[in-house]
Amino acid sequence: MSVTRLLALAAIVLVLASCAPSAPPTGAAAAPPETAEQFVARVNADLDRMGMELAAAGWTQATYITVDTQLLESKANERYLAYLNQAVEESKRYDGQKLSPETARALLKLKLNSPAPAPRDAAKRARMTELESELEAKYGKGKYCPEGGKPCLTLDQLSDILAQSRNYDELTRAWKGWHDVGASMRADYTEFVGLANEGARDLGFKDLGVLWRANYDMSPEDFDALSEKLWQQVKPLYDGLHCYARGRLAKKYGEDKVPAGKPIPAQLLGNMWAQSWDKIYGDLLTPYPGASVASADAALKAQKWDAVKMAHSAEAFYTSMGFQKLPDAFWERSMLTRPRDREVVCHASAWDMHPGTDVRVKACLEPNEEDLYTIYHELGHDYYFLAYAKLPFLFRDGANDGFHEAIGDTINLSVTPAYLAKIGLIPQAKESREALINQQMKMALTKIAFLPFGRLIDQWRWKVFSGEITPDHYNSSWWELRRRYQGIVPPVPRTEADFDPAAKFHIPDNTPYTRYFLSFILQFQFHRALCQASGFSGPLYECSNFGNKAAGDKFEAMLAAGASAPWQDTLEKLTGSRDIDASAINEYFQPLIEWLKTQNEGQKCGW
Ligand code: X8Z
Ligand code: ZN
């Protein structure tokens, strides 16, 4: 379950039989009409209660998928959404009134609270939440069962094959096996889109995509322009990386399979969605094998790190910067490994169950470097929850959703080789130009390879919601975008009998995805600002804020503001700038940018 949805969840509960906002206090004499401030206070209080119930139902379903938990979650969601509809309706009393900026902001946040607002019609609302639970459950339970009676494989097992196998056909089978899971979600998703769009229209938005884009303190059109500007700023680096990776893959798999000047087959990049390529760094993409960057994988296994130890290590990073320890509930109630006896949603997520006292992580951690980064990432969400716990419900959120995603990743940028050596996970690195380029390459395969993927998912969804992409073109338009942005193609022909978008968690889960695109750029801006705050003056890629309280204080101040102010104000306080821009990420990767230029000279780049 995504953070947005969690936040929505962390916002819902109706213990009452009715779904209407609690009645305003009435006196014996005719009470004066409720002011907008009073209305907002009442809604915040209602949502506090409802949020906890929704979070509890959501947590129960995601950590124990059964028809019953699915039903309970969809019913809790239904009540929550009914409440939101009713509250938004009532808030129209204040349309056209002069309100304080804070009250106006709270009313806007009320309208934008759910990534899938429900239609007014009760039967349609019930159907929509049923579909949402069904989609989530189908993704969570998804498996590939090979012919010949061999055991079925889960997404984690198939992902391991994508990461480890270098056999073209085996990779293709694992890729296809998982992607075929999407087909069973096509009809549900199509129906869901119709209903959620109707919900968005009932709230006065043109469609659901416009509602999503209205949550960035600027017009949806300006937000489109901002996303495009950012993409153009980082595209040259992606193109260089693509060209380099393709050349290496051609050497491994042959020019016939990976031809120059053409897109790369999607199953060869080490990840199910080709969204990060670091899994093929070690054996296929290391620039200088002699100066190789050590991976923490070996030590995590050899030293028998388990999920709890990984989480403690993440907590220790945050406390080293002055953050508090995690509450006891985190350790008592989180799900950190895949349970053996039941179906769960393994995709990692962070949960705000009870403001300030009960934050959790749900993940299926294994002792490897990727999952170490994942738990540092998830704790970023939890520390955000804790920092803004005292704010009213409608402001308990990220400055924008990209901020929420960027907190833990900013910390991860401080997980440098020097830090990993300090905690005993890799040997002390010998410094050299070659080692630097290796390290930069490894980072770029995580951070730069991701960018077009982060951008295209919602390019697809915005068009699906606007009707520009119709169901009979769902899959072909998906691959058109994958080809255009990422420069990849499916390993086997795909048709409209397939539904490959649903093979990615955030589509069935209906979590907006542009947040990650923003986060992958913002986190470098945050990192640069924190490094400045800590007095660091060397190159950005060498900076680690481990143990730095000055950086921690500055960061925590930003987190504590939650969504109470436009993100531009919040960003300015931390970085001195009101713009999201790619200068920090380009600065960070300067050595690699130069290296790729020479490396790719004379190559047939592009696709
Ligand atoms: O979904 C996530 C997190 C949970 S918020 C694990 N991420 C995106 C993904 O896995 O697709 C983190 C990076 C991108
Ligand atoms: Zn996240």
Side-chain angles (χ1 to χ4, degrees):
M1 163 124 355
S2 67
V3 166
T4 301
R5 178 110 184 264
L6 298 180
L7 295 170
L9 281 185
I12 308 172
V13 159
L14 195 50
V15 214
L16 313 171
S18 115
C19 294
S22 59
T26 48
E34 193 179 29
T35 65
E37 283 71 25
Q38 288 165 335
F39 172 76
V40 166
R42 180 161 61 84
V43 167
N44 271 317
D46 287 344
L47 288 173
D48 269 336
R49 281 181 293 109
M50 298 187 67
M52 281 187 278
E53 180 189 312
L54 182 60
W59 174 269
T60 308
Q61 189 219 1
T63 58
Y64 192 176
I65 307 173
T66 70
V67 286
D68 306 314
T69 57
Q70 224 172 291
L71 179 84
L72 294 170
E73 196 246 2
S74 86
K75 288 293 157 196
N77 198 12
E78 195 184 321
R79 284 196 296 276
Y80 183 68
L81 294 177
Y83 177 90
L84 281 183
N85 283 355
Q86 178 81 33
V88 170
E89 206 50 45
E90 284 186 30
S91 74
K92 290 186 181 156
R93 298 200 285 264
Y94 309 106
D95 283 357
Q97 286 190 13
K98 182 136 185 48
L99 303 173
S100 71
E102 189 180 317
T103 303
R105 187 170 177 81
L107 293 180
L108 176 68
K109 291 287 169 192
L110 176 67
K111 267 200 195 175
L112 299 174
N113 182 268
S114 172
R120 268 193 212 115
D121 179 276
K124 289 183 179 172
R125 180 164 60 229
R127 178 67 183 146
M128 190 189 86
T129 62
E130 184 182 33
L131 286 166
E132 286 187 277
S133 296
E134 179 68 20
L135 283 162
E136 190 183 349
K138 276 189 181 159
Y139 186 93
K141 290 190 289 189
K143 284 185 193 61
Y144 162 50
C145 300
E147 280 167 22
K150 287 200 217 126
C152 298
L153 300 171
T154 61
L155 174 60
D156 340 344
Q157 291 165 323
L158 294 164
S159 293
D160 284 346
I161 298 177
L162 266 286
Q164 285 155 21
S165 170
R166 298 295 176 256
N167 176 307
Y168 193 93
D169 294 333
E170 187 182 16
L171 288 166
T172 305
R173 272 196 300 280
W175 185 97
K176 182 176 178 322
W178 178 251
H179 280 77
D180 286 351
V181 165
S184 75
M185 291 182 251
R186 179 186 267 269
D188 288 349
Y189 189 75
T190 309
E191 192 183 350
F192 165 74
V193 167
L195 292 167
N197 254 341
E198 189 175 328
R201 283 192 208 106
D202 284 352
L203 291 178
F205 295 91
K206 211 159 144 261
D207 61 63
L208 186 58
V210 177
L211 182 151
W212 285 7
R213 279 169 284 162
N215 213 352
Y216 293 97
D217 301 308
M218 54 172 66
S219 71
E221 296 74 32
D222 285 351
F223 183 67
D224 272 343
L226 171 64
S227 322
E228 182 57 24
K229 175 197 89 170
L230 294 172
W231 171 237
Q232 291 306 331
Q233 285 183 326
V234 293
K235 189 173 179 309
L237 179 47
Y238 179 74
D239 289 348
L241 194 67
H242 183 281
C243 192
Y244 167 76
R246 185 177 53 204
R248 289 288 184 108
L249 288 168
K251 286 204 180 85
K252 170 76 187 167
Y253 295 103
E255 291 269 354
D256 55 328
K257 296 224 161 52
V258 190
K262 293 268 184 289
I264 301 172
Q267 81 281 32
L268 303 182
L269 290 153
N271 172 277
M272 189 57 82
W273 309 275
Q275 70 181 65
S276 55
W277 306 348
D278 47 295
K279 289 288 161 60
I280 58 168
Y281 164 80
D283 59 332
L284 298 181
L285 300 184
T286 309
Y288 298 103
S292 192
V293 176
S295 148
D297 283 345
L300 285 165
K301 281 187 190 71
Q303 297 172 23
K304 301 208 171 14
W305 281 53
D306 62 10
V308 173
K309 183 157 180 191
M310 289 160 73
H312 273 297
S313 145
E315 181 193 39
F317 200 114
Y318 287 86
T319 55
S320 87
M321 293 176 74
F323 286 86
Q324 65 189 95
K325 281 187 157 262
L326 290 167
D328 291 346
F330 175 90
W331 302 105
E332 287 157 9
R333 301 177 190 164
S334 287
M335 181 194 99
L336 297 178
T337 52
R338 184 191 270 279
R340 270 183 274 189
D341 58 346
R342 59 187 199 264
E343 299 283 7
V344 300
V345 179
C346 262
H347 189 92
S349 54
W351 295 66
D352 195 1
M353 305 298 294
H354 187 285
T357 58
D358 185 348
V359 299
R360 303 181 200 168
V361 164
K362 174 186 68 57
C364 299
L365 302 175
E366 296 282 341
N368 62 49
E369 198 176 273
E370 182 183 16
D371 287 1
L372 190 69
Y373 285 114
T374 297
I375 188 68
Y376 280 57
H377 170 94
E378 295 306 334
L379 284 202
H381 292 304
D382 279 353
Y383 276 108
Y384 217 154
F385 299 149
L386 293 171
Y388 61 52
K390 292 210 169 65
L391 292 178
F393 181 91
L394 289 165
F395 293 158
R396 287 206 302 267
D397 204 344
N400 68 40
D401 54 6
F403 280 59
H404 227 302
E405 293 305 332
I407 306 310
D409 278 16
T410 301
I411 297 299
N412 270 329
L413 291 179
S414 281
V415 178
T416 53
Y419 166 77
L420 287 173
K422 196 177 314 190
I423 62 170
L425 287 176
I426 59 170
Q428 200 73 44
K430 263 229 324 268
E431 281 181 32
S432 68
R433 179 81 194 157
E434 286 76 15
L436 169 63
I437 295 301
N438 279 349
Q439 171 62 17
Q440 288 246 306
M441 176 61 72
K442 190 174 169 195
M443 281 297 279
L445 296 173
T446 311
K447 300 294 181 187
I448 303 298
F450 178 80
L451 293 164
F453 185 75
R455 171 115 175 92
L456 78 85
I457 299 246
D458 285 350
Q459 292 286 306
W460 183 80
R461 270 191 300 203
W462 294 344
K463 288 186 176 153
V464 164
F465 295 143
S466 76
E468 193 181 327
I469 296 176
T470 49
D472 53 336
H473 289 97
Y474 273 175
N475 221 47
S476 59
S477 49
W478 173 258
W479 282 107
E480 202 187 294
L481 288 164
R482 297 264 271 164
R483 183 188 178 107
R484 173 158 19 120
Y485 281 97
Q486 289 183 283
I488 61 168
V489 282
V492 288
R494 305 303 274 170
T495 70
E496 291 303 329
D498 304 306
F499 187 43
D500 295 321
K504 177 67 196 168
F505 172 77
H506 304 70
I507 302 285
D509 195 58
N510 194 44
T511 304
Y513 208 81
T514 306
R515 63 186 55 196
Y516 301 107
F517 176 68
L518 297 177
S519 154
F520 275 55
I521 291 169
L522 267 176
Q523 57 192 256
F524 288 88
Q525 279 182 272
F526 292 170
H527 183 59
R528 182 168 64 185
L530 296 184
C531 294
Q532 277 160 7
S534 73
F536 182 84
S537 58
L540 208 45
Y541 50 79
E542 275 179 12
C543 170
S544 174
N545 293 305
F546 179 68
N548 197 293
K549 298 239 170 15
D553 287 349
K554 209 158 179 200
F555 211 24
E556 195 158 14
M558 178 175 92
L559 304 195
S564 63
W567 63 261
Q568 293 87 342
D569 296 355
T570 312
L571 184 66
E572 190 174 16
K573 283 196 187 122
L574 183 78
T575 67
S577 161
R578 300 182 63 78
D579 291 322
I580 304 186
D581 87 275
S583 62
I585 191 170
N586 283 330
E587 177 186 332
Y588 185 100
F589 284 110
Q590 204 50 46
L592 185 72
I593 290 173
E594 295 306 323
W595 184 84
L596 281 169
K597 272 190 202 138
T598 17
Q599 197 67 23
N600 289 334
E601 247 164 51
Q603 299 295 314
K604 197 166 169 220
C605 294
W607 56 85

